[in-house]
Structures are given as structure tokens and as C-alpha cells.
Amino acid sequence: MDAILTAILVLFALALIFGLILGYASVRFKIEGNPIVEQIDAILPQTQCGQCGHPGCRPYAEAIANGEAINKCPPGGQATIDQLAELLNVESIPLDAEHGSEDVRKVAYIREDECIGCTKCIQACPVDAILGAAKQMHTVIVAECTGCDLCVEPCPVDCIDMIPVATTIGNWKWPAPPSPMQIIATDRTAPAEESQA
Amino acid sequence: MTVYAFHGGIHPPENKLQSTQLPVAQANLPSHLVIPVLQHIGMAADPVVKVGDTVLKGEVIAEPVGRISAAIHAPSSGRIIDISQQPVPHASGLEAECIVIETDGAETWCEHQGLEDYTQLPPNELIDFIRSKGIAGMGGAGFPTDVKLHLGDDHIVNTLIINAAECEPYITSDDMLMRSEPEAIIGGIEVIARLLKPHHIMIGIEDNKPEAIAALNRAAEASSLQIDIQVVPTKYPSGGERQLIQLLTNIEVPSSKIPADIGIVCQNVGTAAAIYEAVTTGRPLISRIVTLTGDALTQPQNFRTLLGTPFTTLLEQAGVDQQRLSKLIMGGPMMGVPLTSPHLPVIKTTNCIIATTLEEMPAPPPAQACIRCGLCEQACPAQLLPQQLYWFSKGKEFEKARQHNLFDCIECGACAYVCPSNIPLVQYYRFAKSEIRNEELEQRRADHARARFEARQERLEREAAQKAEKRKQRAIEAAAAQAARKKAQEQAQTETTEDTGTPAVNNEAEVKALKVAAAVARTKLSKAEKALKNARDKGLDGVDKLGATVEQLSAKAEDAQAAYDTALSTNNASSNVADSDAKCDAKQNDNSDQRTAKSADYKLDMKSLKQQVSIMRTKLKKAKASDPESSEIEALESRLADAAATLKAAEDKQIERAAAEGIDLKQLKIDAALAKAAVTKIERAAKAAQNDEEREQLEAELPQKREAAEGLAQQLARFE
């Protein structure tokens, strides 16, 4: 009987001690916010374009953390989807065409002699990349432009173009080598036939 | 001194003899020189000449931009005919900004002078002098030399290694330079040694250049410095910076560190010679030795070539056989890049042009599957695992490739050379590297955009909070003011019996405030009514609620109006005298406050006068209707006439007053009415608009028009 009592007391004491430690730890090492949102937000391209249907990248990150599909980000493209799939340990899926398609990087360009200085694009720009004042010509700071498209729609005189960023020696990339294993003629034609079929 | 060894390496056929049979020749002066503004690693230089300018040989035509950059000088005298995008020697085959000089053939030098005694100059000034001469590494990478010479400032440099290995097949430009100008090289080493103050100076040279070794030995003997000429066995790539360091010192430069971190600085022999030339004669880097070799040339040779000379000029001079020419390569066969066109200029890093025939360099056999033989691993001088890197690059698993130290790959091509499956391994690594760099760039861009977005968001929130705070503050102030006013009013009421003059002034302010309150209440009421109407029209929810609000507001508005009326009447009663005094004052005085008060009075007068006139008219009508014979009619008629006259007089006064301010009241009235009409017209048009686009356009116009109309109405209100 004594042994049982001792065992119960010991276990109780242990439970109390560990409970206190855990309680202290939960207060001392409390993390504000959901850390997974931060990680998802770090992967998203931060164009703040809203093509996913959320007002910015962070809200979409929060939505993903709450179970939304990971394939709604056209600026990020397949690379972002793959990264998200790896982070969340889910199957990678192709980009949802409903939200737009993957495109080359673009920057906004204001045709300055047509600009009437209405400041509507300035208010629309999520990263403050447009410079100007009321009734003064506006211009885009190219280095800051994320190519989100949001300034195009509010412009009352349609003087904003989205121009693809030209390939220069500075941003040129080495192309991937052609696929090997094409010695036999049928090797070379097989994929083409498959795609036709 | 012992020579150590590095891991791996290969022994490809050297093919160096062909181009060393003839001495270095002077390349012909072409009619046009095309000079890219980016010939080095770092920022492109900024052109300082305009099209049409004439330049002398050696004149600066582009200034360095930023810390890592190099100046560009005119290689010959002539006229600038173009500054535009031109094809440049680069693996991409793209165009870049170039300055085009039409040479005049005179080769007139600009004024230039070397340093009499560079040892007297402070190191910083000496480095600036070298920077001004546009010298960048001549070995192949083109790193601005002045940056490397500054390494002594923040690193302890104990060993200076001069790279004379020139390990890549075919290339002999350094070899020929050492044979022809060994004194310049040793002189350049002396300049570098003065700046870096190393304890130990070594020249690393492969044993396949006996003549160059002999020449260097002779020149080094004459020098006051102790220079060790270390002959290393011929093996590719012993000329790689890290490999040469390991050969000579047996120290491995750690991954992601530079040699200066372990106290070693490397310079190429060509760079040393260029430094010597700049320091002694003051001539900038405008020419270099270029090897022209390959079986398609009848006379392979080295040429001292002006920068910007087209490859075609050199090829012709070396006797190119266009029939046999199959491929042009810039650089060596291992690391060089195939060129798409021969119309490209020589730049600071162009050491060799190979014109090959098909037999000499046949098209590579098709790549086959990796059989994991491991030969590449044994050949890799950087001790990497090329086949792993290949798998990761091919499968686009860039993160894993990076973890396997992809960025320590020097792209020497030894792995591809030994690969029995002919896999273009280096291409895969280059592809993976540029993809990773691009990803990093995107990540940086994303982080930057996030920071800006968050900053903007914060700013907007802050502004909104500030506005709310201000509004709150105003409300509190207004409440306080009202309380004070009430108190003052009570006081004034008690005091009016004693004194009639002073409270009138106080009261005036109060009345004004009350009037404003009444007006605000009225506006609120009208807004609510409008909203109610709108809600009813559209059958929206909450009509009942709105109705209740409107009732409440109308009660409030009535209260406010009543309060104002009583205040006004008491004020008028109590201070008629003071009021009239104030009016007299106002006539003489151009005080704007008083004018506002006056116009308020006028407004009231006009209204009551108009009312009176209309009341009279109605009374008269009624009287006439009930009893046409009554004597009352006459009295009423005369009263009506009186009232009408007073009204007319008041109106005239108004017009006069407006005219005094330079405004035609009539015109103003017409304008206001027109503006109002325009607003209603647009509103009606917008309602009737067929499509959204039209409506939007109209609605976009509306606020502007409305503003204009309101402005005119306000102006008019000032006088009525």
C-alpha cells in the first residue's frame, strides 16, 4: 500500500514539476502570430498585384495558411508553387489559369506627355514606385516597380503601358543545354509524335 | 622552393607552337573602332563624349561609375560617329552600349606624362593614377586592378603571386608578352609590390614556356626585389587563381573567400605590364596582345591590337581562309565562348581568337547518359562532385546543387573534357548558376518590395489615425467652446441689464457659432433626407432606421435654428445701438470679419424683406378677393409699395456692394445658374447613359462641375 502511495505521490510531483516547466515555457517562449504565414509570405513574389483575389501577398499567405489553394499566384509562377508545395508538404499543382498566366517580368511606363497629373496611379501603386504630384507629370521609378499592373486600370487617360523588361548582358541567363540521348532518330522524333498524338 | 600539386587537372594537346613562330606584330589600324563601355567586371563606364567630338589617342571617353569600374580611353585619334547599341563579344551574343570612333589615321596622342618617381607618391594617389588609366585584369575576368591594389588597406598581404601560367591550350599572348617585354612585367611587379608590400613575390609559370622563363629570369635579376620565378608542371588548369595559389603555397583558398583573406593577391603578367606602361609613360590601357590561331589561319600570330579593333581586321591580317573556317572562338578552347559573328571588337579581356576548321574542332558528339564512371570527379580541380552537380542542375534542384558547392566551380571544363558520355557539363553548371543568381535577385527584389509595401501600409494607417485623432480633437474643442459659450451667454444675459455695449460684441460671436451649428444641423438633415430618398428609391434595407435618423436630425436642426433665432433676437434687442455702430465702422473699415458679419445681416434683411413683400402681396390679394371695395386695400397697397421699394433699395445696395469688389452680381447670378444647370444636365445624362463607359466618363466629369457650381453659389451667397 505504501509503495502505491509513494508511486502516486512521485508521479503527481513529477506532473506538477513538468506542468510548471511547460507553463513557464509557453509564457516565456510565446510566438506572436502564425510563423507559417511568415514563411509563406517569404516565398511569395511580393508584387502585391492582387491577382490571387487577395489585397496583397500577405493576405494570400494567411489564406494559404488557412487552407487556400497554392496555385493562384501568376507572378510567382510554377517555381513559387513548387516552393510552397515543398514548404507545406503538399502535392505541387499547375498554376490556376483563372487568376492569370505566367508572364515575363514587366515594368510600368507612363507616357509622360499624355499624363494629366491626376495622381490616381500614385494612390494605386502598392510599393510607392510612382513619383508625381497633382497636375504634375508622373513617372515610374523602374527599379522599384514590381510590374503588378495595378496602376493601369485607374488611369483616366490610359497613358500607362506595361513594358516587358528587355534582356541585356546584365540580366541574360545561360540557357539550359539541350536534352541528351538523341542519337537514334526515333529518340528525337518520339516526343514530337507523342505531343501530336 | 617546392612546388605542390592541386587535385585533378587534365593534359589536353597544347597547340601553342603554331602562334609562337612569329614575333608579336602590330595590328592594322581599322577605319572604325567600336569600344564597349563595359569591358570589365562591375559597373559600365559612363560616356563623357558626344557624337561628333574629335578625340585624341589616349583621351578619356568614358568615366568609371562607382567603386568597381574602369575608365575607357580612345585607342586612336579620330571622330566619335556613334554612341549606340552594338554587338559585343559576350556569350549571349547580345548588344551593349558602345562608342564608335572613326579613326583619322594620324594616331595623334593626347598630352600624357608618366610619373617621374612613383615611389615618392603616397599609395592612394598612385592607385588613383592607375585607376585613371583604366586598367582591368588582363587574364580573362577583367576585374578592375585598382580595387585589387587597395586590398592592402584592409588585408595583410604577405604574398604576391604573378600569374604567368597561361595554362589553356592555343593561347600564347602572355607567353609572347613575357618574351618581348619582360622588363615591363618586372617593372609592373615593382609598382604592385610598393602598394601591397608583400613579404614574398612569386611568379608562377608553366614549364612549357622556356623562352619566357629565361627572359623573366634575366629581367628579374636586374630588379632590386627578390622575385621567385616558380616553374610549375604543365597541367590544365594550373593558371586558375586558386589552383596556382595551391601549387605555389599549398594553401587552399576557402570556399566563398577571396585569396586576400588568406594574405595572397594574384595579378596577371599582362596587368603588371599595363601598370608599368601607365606609370612610366602615362599611357592608358588602349591596346593588348591578342593571339590569332587555329587551322583556318595561314599565318597564326600574336598581334598588339588596339581595343575596339574588329576581329575581321585581325583575321584578315592573319590570313584567314574563309573556305575552311568553321567556328570562331574567343578565349581558349576550354573556357572560351563560340562567336556568332566576326564583326565584334577586341576588348580588355580578349586574349585569343581561334579560327578553327571542321577537322580541328568537329561538332561535339551527342551527349549520352551519365554512367557514373567518376572520371569527372577525378579531373575536377576544385574537388567537387561534377556528376552530382550535373544531376541537380539537370533536375533543376538548384538548392541541392548549391549545397554541393556549385559556386566553387571555376567552369574550367576539365570534367566535360574527360566525360566519356560527352555531356556538356559546364553548360549545365552555367545554367544552374545563372538560375540561382536570378532566383536570388528575385528574392532580393521581393524582400525590397515587401519592405516598401509594409512601409506604405504603415504610413497609410498612421495618416488615417492622425486624421481620426484630429477629428476627435476638434470635436472636443467644439464641445468645450460650446460650453464656454453657454456660460458666457448666461453671464451676458445677467449682465445685459447693466451694460448694453460690451455683451453685444460677445454675443455676435455666439450668434455666429449658433448659426454655424444650425447650418451644420441643416446640412446633416438634408444629407440624411437624401440618403433616405435614395434608399427608398432603391428599396434598400434600413429605410426605417434612416427615417428615424432623419426625424431625429430634423428635430435637432429645428432646435439649433430655434436657438439661433432666439440668440439673434436677444442680440438684436440688446445691442441695436452697438450693432448700428458696428455697421458704421464696417463701412469705413475693411475688416473681413466685420464684413462677414455684415453680409450675414444683409442676408437676413433681404430674406425678411422678401418675405414681407410676399406677405403683403398675399394679404392684398386676399383682401381684394373678400372685399374689393374695402378701404383696407389702399392701405395695403401703399404698404406693399413701401416694402417693394425697400427691397429694391436693398437689392441695389447689394449690387453696388458687389460692384465695389469688382463683381457683376447679375453676371454672377447667371453664371451660378448656368453652372447649376450644367450639373443637373450631367446628372440626368449619367442616369440616362446607355453603357457603363459613357456613364463613367460623365461621372468623372461630375465632381469638377459640381465643385464649380458650388464655388459660384458660395460667392453669390456672400452677397445675398
Side-chain angles (χ1 to χ4, degrees):
Chain A
M1 194 58 199
D2 255 10
I4 292 168
L5 207 65
T6 319
I8 288 169
L9 281 176
V10 165
L11 282 175
F12 183 74
L14 279 173
L16 199 69
I17 290 163
F18 286 125
L20 283 174
I21 293 170
L22 283 173
Y24 173 75
S26 76
V27 174
R28 177 73 181 73
F29 303 111
K30 189 173 167 62
I31 294 171
E32 294 292 334
N34 190 351
I36 194 77
V37 173
E38 296 289 334
Q39 288 174 39
I40 296 170
D41 195 36
I43 290 172
L44 293 175
Q46 306 298 326
T47 45
Q48 319 293 352
C49 63
Q51 288 182 70
C52 53
H54 296 273
C57 291
R58 205 184 163 81
Y60 182 44
E62 279 158 14
I64 291 176
N66 290 328
E68 191 156 318
I70 59 171
N71 62 347
K72 294 184 177 177
C73 180
Q78 198 59 43
T80 297
I81 296 171
D82 292 346
Q83 272 177 302
L84 286 172
E86 195 173 330
L87 173 71
L88 302 170
N89 200 18
V90 294
E91 195 77 13
S92 182
I93 41 177
L95 185 68
D96 188 351
E98 197 183 304
H99 295 274
S101 54
E102 217 170 321
D103 207 351
V104 292
R105 206 174 97 79
K106 287 179 176 172
V107 288
Y109 173 77
I110 295 177
R111 292 195 298 278
E112 288 168 1
D113 45 350
E114 287 173 41
C115 174
I116 55 165
C118 70
T119 75
K120 282 193 173 128
C121 55
I122 296 179
Q123 289 157 33
C125 180
V127 290
D128 282 337
I130 301 177
L131 201 66
K135 291 182 183 164
Q136 304 289 323
M137 174 265 287
H138 305 339
T139 198
V140 176
I141 308 169
V142 175
E144 311 291 0
C145 178
T146 63
C148 68
D149 237 31
L150 292 180
C151 53
V152 175
E153 206 267 322
C155 180
V157 290
D158 262 338
C159 71
I160 304 179
D161 293 324
M162 297 306 293
I163 297 179
V165 178
T167 307
T168 61
I169 286 182
N171 63 12
W172 174 78
K173 290 193 292 180
W174 282 92
S179 163
M181 288 302 291
Q182 293 181 342
I183 300 172
I184 307 164
T186 49
D187 280 347
R188 257 172 281 182
T189 50
E193 272 169 18
E194 263 171 28
S195 64
Q196 273 168 17
Chain B
M1 284 296 294
T2 44
V3 168
Y4 304 91
F6 64 89
H7 179 268
I10 51 170
H11 295 93
E14 287 170 22
N15 283 308
K16 292 196 186 231
L17 284 176
Q18 299 95 309
S19 54
T20 53
Q21 301 307 309
L22 293 165
V24 179
Q26 183 66 45
N28 293 336
L29 178 69
S31 61
H32 293 88
L33 292 166
V34 180
I35 304 126
V37 292
L38 181 64
Q39 305 188 15
H40 46 265
I41 285 180
M43 298 281 283
D46 186 31
V48 290
V49 287
K50 295 186 302 293
V51 174
D53 287 1
T54 36
V55 286
L56 295 175
K57 187 173 177 134
E59 214 176 299
V60 178
I61 52 173
E63 291 274 11
V65 176
R67 173 107 172 75
I68 300 176
S69 186
I72 311 277
H73 301 77
S76 182
S77 58
R79 204 164 56 88
I80 310 284
I81 56 162
D82 201 5
I83 300 176
S84 61
Q85 300 282 316
Q86 303 277 343
V88 292
H90 188 265
S92 63
L94 289 168
E95 296 185 339
E97 191 177 18
C98 295
I99 300 170
V100 184
I101 299 178
E102 187 184 49
T103 55
D104 58 11
E107 296 259 43
T108 325
W109 269 97
C110 69
E111 217 168 281
H112 60 282
Q113 200 179 3
L115 300 170
E116 266 172 36
D117 186 2
Y118 67 83
T119 53
Q120 299 298 315
L121 217 59
N124 271 337
E125 283 179 33
L126 181 53
I127 295 175
D128 285 345
F129 182 80
I130 292 168
R131 177 177 163 94
S132 72
K133 298 302 172 192
I135 297 170
M138 315 264 284
F143 194 79
T145 301
D146 58 289
V147 182
K148 267 187 165 179
L149 295 178
H150 269 299
L151 284 170
D153 301 352
D154 46 1
H155 292 83
I156 303 160
V157 178
N158 44 42
T159 309
L160 171 65
I161 292 178
I162 301 300
N163 190 343
E166 197 169 46
C167 58
E168 210 170 331
Y170 285 92
I171 308 173
T172 57
S173 60
D174 284 355
D175 188 3
M176 295 310 284
L177 176 76
M178 286 185 277
R179 290 189 205 183
S180 57
E181 300 170 33
E183 297 82 13
I185 295 167
I186 300 297
I189 294 170
E190 282 170 357
V191 177
I192 299 168
R194 165 157 168 76
L195 291 167
L196 295 174
K197 300 188 179 64
H199 301 304
H200 194 185
I201 304 166
M202 285 191 275
I203 300 179
I205 182 164
E206 279 189 341
D207 58 9
N208 60 359
K209 303 176 190 63
E211 283 180 51
I213 295 167
L216 279 181
N217 267 323
R218 271 199 304 280
E221 267 167 32
S223 170
S224 59
L225 289 174
Q226 169 66 38
I227 300 172
D228 285 332
I229 297 172
Q230 295 280 338
V231 181
V232 301
T234 301
K235 180 164 86 166
Y236 181 81
S238 59
E241 190 177 56
R242 283 157 198 252
Q243 283 65 40
L244 190 63
I245 288 169
Q246 196 162 14
L247 274 174
L248 299 183
T249 64
N250 204 23
I251 301 170
E252 198 180 336
V253 182
S255 176
S256 71
K257 288 259 165 57
I258 59 167
D261 293 330
I262 54 167
I264 298 170
V265 169
C266 270
Q267 292 283 5
N268 180 266
V269 278
T271 318
I275 290 173
Y276 178 76
E277 169 101 359
V279 169
T280 53
T281 66
R283 292 180 177 182
L285 177 58
I286 53 163
S287 71
R288 68 157 298 140
I289 293 178
V290 182
T291 307
L292 266 103
T293 184
D295 284 356
L297 301 178
T298 52
Q299 211 178 20
Q301 197 177 359
N302 278 278
F303 292 96
R304 181 150 281 278
T305 315
L306 293 179
L307 302 180
T309 304
F311 291 170
T312 44
T313 307
L314 293 172
L315 289 169
E316 274 164 31
Q317 213 173 341
V320 68
D321 184 351
Q322 294 288 358
Q323 302 296 314
R324 298 180 62 207
L325 178 67
S326 81
K327 196 158 85 174
L328 272 179
I329 295 170
M330 184 182 73
M334 305 297 294
M335 294 182 72
V337 287
L339 298 177
T340 46
S341 145
H343 303 281
L344 295 169
V346 168
I347 60 169
K348 288 174 185 174
T349 54
T350 313
N351 49 9
C352 181
I353 299 164
I354 311 176
T356 67
T357 60
L358 201 59
E359 301 82 57
E360 190 182 13
M361 281 191 203
Q368 294 181 51
C370 172
I371 54 170
R372 290 197 177 263
C373 63
L375 282 179
C376 50
E377 185 275 324
Q378 285 167 33
C380 181
Q383 300 184 61
L384 302 173
L385 296 172
Q387 59 179 14
Q388 289 304 106
L389 293 175
Y390 161 64
W391 289 118
F392 296 142
S393 305
K394 196 181 168 195
K396 299 189 180 170
E397 292 177 275
F398 300 129
E399 197 43 51
K400 281 185 189 159
R402 195 217 293 261
Q403 280 163 9
H404 279 70
N405 300 310
L406 175 66
F407 280 91
D408 286 337
C409 169
I410 58 167
E411 298 174 24
C412 67
C415 49
Y417 185 78
V418 298
C419 181
S421 293
N422 304 306
I423 300 168
L425 291 164
V426 181
Q427 266 194 56
Y428 280 100
Y429 307 150
R430 283 173 172 163
F431 160 68
K433 277 183 183 178
S434 58
E435 285 295 322
I436 293 172
R437 284 205 191 97
N438 190 48
E439 254 172 45
E440 276 172 357
L441 180 71
E442 294 280 308
Q443 192 58 47
R444 271 204 303 279
R445 227 179 247 150
D447 289 343
H448 187 67
R450 184 186 302 115
R452 284 181 75 86
F453 177 66
E454 277 166 9
R456 179 189 145 92
Q457 225 51 15
E458 204 178 293
R459 193 192 73 221
L460 292 179
E461 269 164 34
R462 197 176 54 233
E463 278 172 2
Q466 268 171 1
K467 249 183 211 165
E469 184 62 34
K470 253 187 204 162
R471 212 173 290 138
K472 217 167 149 191
Q473 203 63 39
R474 266 209 302 273
I476 292 168
E477 269 168 24
Q482 204 156 18
R485 223 179 290 127
K486 225 176 216 173
K487 216 173 168 189
Q489 203 174 13
E490 277 164 18
Q491 236 171 21
Q493 270 172 354
T494 51
E495 277 172 19
T496 31
T497 44
E498 295 156 25
D499 193 302
T500 46
T502 34
V505 184
N506 281 344
N507 279 356
E508 210 168 316
E510 275 165 40
V511 169
K512 214 165 150 190
L514 276 173
K515 194 177 166 194
V516 171
V520 166
R522 259 202 314 273
T523 339
K524 268 189 188 165
L525 176 63
S526 68
K527 261 188 196 164
E529 272 171 350
K530 235 181 245 170
L532 181 62
K533 193 172 163 251
N534 198 18
R536 272 206 193 114
D537 287 351
K538 293 185 180 166
L540 290 175
D541 298 338
V543 175
D544 302 341
K545 216 175 163 187
L546 266 175
T549 322
V550 168
E551 265 167 39
Q552 238 173 24
L553 279 172
S554 69
K556 261 190 199 165
E558 270 165 27
D559 282 356
Q561 191 63 43
Y564 169 58
D565 286 345
T566 48
L568 195 68
S569 60
T570 47
N571 193 16
N572 279 349
S574 66
S575 57
N576 251 338
V577 189
D579 218 34
S580 58
D581 277 357
K583 268 183 199 169
C584 287
D585 283 351
K587 267 180 198 161
Q588 291 151 355
N589 216 331
D590 210 16
N591 188 313
S592 68
D593 269 356
Q594 277 167 335
R595 211 167 48 213
T596 335
K598 214 175 101 186
S599 79
D601 283 347
Y602 269 118
K603 198 174 176 182
L604 200 80
D605 283 356
M606 291 293 292
K607 219 176 181 179
S608 59
L609 278 173
K610 264 184 194 164
Q611 266 172 5
Q612 259 177 339
V613 172
S614 59
I615 288 167
M616 290 293 164
R617 209 175 276 143
T618 2
K619 268 190 184 171
L620 190 60
K621 241 185 208 166
K622 268 186 193 166
K624 270 182 185 168
S626 63
D627 187 5
E629 298 301 311
S630 174
S631 59
E632 218 179 323
I633 292 171
E634 238 170 82
L636 275 171
E637 258 173 353
S638 69
R639 269 168 75 188
L640 172 62
D642 277 358
T646 338
L647 179 63
K648 183 88 191 0
E651 267 174 351
D652 283 350
K653 219 186 217 169
Q654 231 179 59
I655 290 162
E656 215 172 274
R657 211 156 49 83
E661 281 188 35
I663 296 164
D664 189 348
L665 198 62
K666 230 178 195 173
Q667 191 59 43
L668 187 61
K669 267 183 188 169
I670 292 165
D671 285 349
L674 277 177
K676 219 188 214 168
V679 171
T680 16
K681 203 171 151 194
I682 289 174
E683 271 172 345
R684 219 173 286 148
K687 247 181 219 167
Q690 293 297 323
N691 51 22
D692 283 351
E693 209 177 298
E694 212 173 309
R695 186 169 305 144
E696 261 166 39
Q697 207 181 344
L698 283 165
E699 269 166 2
E701 271 175 47
L702 197 53
Q704 217 180 333
K705 290 267 161 125
R706 205 173 266 164
E707 213 172 286
E710 268 167 27
L712 282 169
Q714 266 169 18
Q715 209 177 358
L716 194 59
R718 265 182 54 217
F719 297 109
E720 284 188 347

